[in-house]
Amino acid sequence: IGRQYITLDNQRWVANLPWRQKHQTFDAAGVSTRAVGPIDLYYAYVHRVSTPLRVDLDSSSLVLNLAHDFDGVGRLTGYGYLIDLADAARLSCFTAGLRFAGEHGVAEKTELLYQAELANQVDAGDNPDERDAMYYLLEAGARHRGVRYLLGFESLGGDGSPNGAVQVPFGKRFFFNGWVNQFVFTPDTGLRDYYAKVIAPWRMLEFELAGHDFQADSGGAH
């Protein structure tokens, strides 16, 4: 209970946004437990969000995340995030989805890496705009001697209607769709991101080379 970081899964939907000097924090009450058999359960009520831009948003949001590990294969997660922001009603939404991510060793010092995710987002709370959009993520790659090679596709759906595209009010943006934060808010026509990455550790540093091909989900912009 109190002001805290909340970081879930790959931080796409809920994160502390460690990209600026001031991280995102949540005034929330939460519980994390494994009392439900082999399932990891996290639930929280978020009363206020303090953003990196020093703007506090009043919130009546609910966060639910359920996960189960399959030995040697990966982690399956189901989630439901009801975000209700009184001070930013157009960002209020409900997102429900499934995610699977894991790795599997295929040779000495070599592992296959993979993740897939599917979600649906609709408007919620006092949002004056209608939204019913899909989110997809597919990524595959390998890690060899500590170096990761990744190919992926992410789609934040949008049909061109006002505020009709998938948004991530609580989640990371720069990490997924470019470090310049060109897509802090998803355009109404949505966003498709085809990307390739090479990530290499060296001593206490990590180097990353990434290339992105951005396209609209509808309308043909590129």
Side-chain angles (χ1 to χ4, degrees):
I1 297 175
R3 181 157 295 182
Q4 57 193 277
Y5 290 155
I6 303 177
T7 57
L8 298 173
D9 301 323
N10 63 347
Q11 304 185 41
R12 189 38 160 153
W13 301 105
V14 184
N16 63 321
L17 306 184
W19 186 240
R20 299 177 182 268
Q21 291 263 24
K22 181 180 183 299
H23 297 180
Q24 179 161 275
T25 58
F26 302 88
D27 291 358
V31 59
S32 178
T33 179
R34 209 173 199 182
V36 189
I39 296 176
D40 292 319
L41 182 150
Y42 178 80
Y43 173 79
Y45 172 79
V46 179
H47 173 65
R48 182 177 290 109
V49 184
S50 182
T51 72
L53 300 180
R54 302 187 181 279
V55 176
D56 290 347
L57 301 175
D58 288 335
S59 168
S60 298
S61 302
L62 303 175
V63 172
L64 176 65
N65 186 284
L66 303 166
H68 176 64
D69 290 316
F70 295 89
D71 291 342
V73 180
R75 183 175 179 89
L76 178 65
T77 305
Y79 54 81
Y81 304 135
L82 175 60
I83 297 176
D84 189 354
L85 300 172
D87 302 323
R90 279 189 159 84
L91 292 177
S92 296
C93 57
F94 174 67
T95 307
L98 286 172
R99 167 181 170 79
F100 184 78
E103 60 181 67
H104 183 71
V106 293
E108 185 178 359
K109 297 184 180 180
T110 302
E111 299 88 25
L112 293 179
L113 309 174
Y114 41 83
Q115 58 176 325
E117 190 168 346
L118 170 68
N120 176 249
Q121 186 177 94
V122 298
D123 55 284
D126 293 327
N127 192 329
D129 302 312
E130 293 186 0
R131 184 184 307 166
D132 188 354
M134 298 298 297
Y135 170 86
Y136 305 96
L137 172 68
L138 290 172
E139 183 182 278
R143 179 171 53 232
H144 179 67
R145 297 183 181 275
V147 180
R148 286 177 285 165
Y149 306 88
L150 302 170
L151 291 173
F153 166 71
E154 185 188 43
S155 174
L156 295 89
D159 60 6
S161 59
N163 196 32
V166 170
Q167 302 292 343
V168 287
F170 285 1
K172 271 187 178 180
R173 300 174 180 88
F174 72 89
F175 180 82
F176 291 85
N177 302 132
W179 299 323
V180 297
N181 266 347
Q182 179 67 28
F183 301 105
V184 171
F185 299 104
T186 310
D188 291 341
T189 53
L191 179 67
R192 295 179 181 176
D193 179 7
Y194 301 85
Y195 61 87
K197 297 180 180 181
V198 179
I199 305 170
W202 181 73
R203 297 187 178 179
M204 297 181 67
L205 301 175
E206 184 173 79
F207 294 88
E208 178 171 340
L209 175 66
H212 295 269
D213 183 353
F214 296 116
Q215 302 179 22
D217 185 53
S218 61
H222 181 266

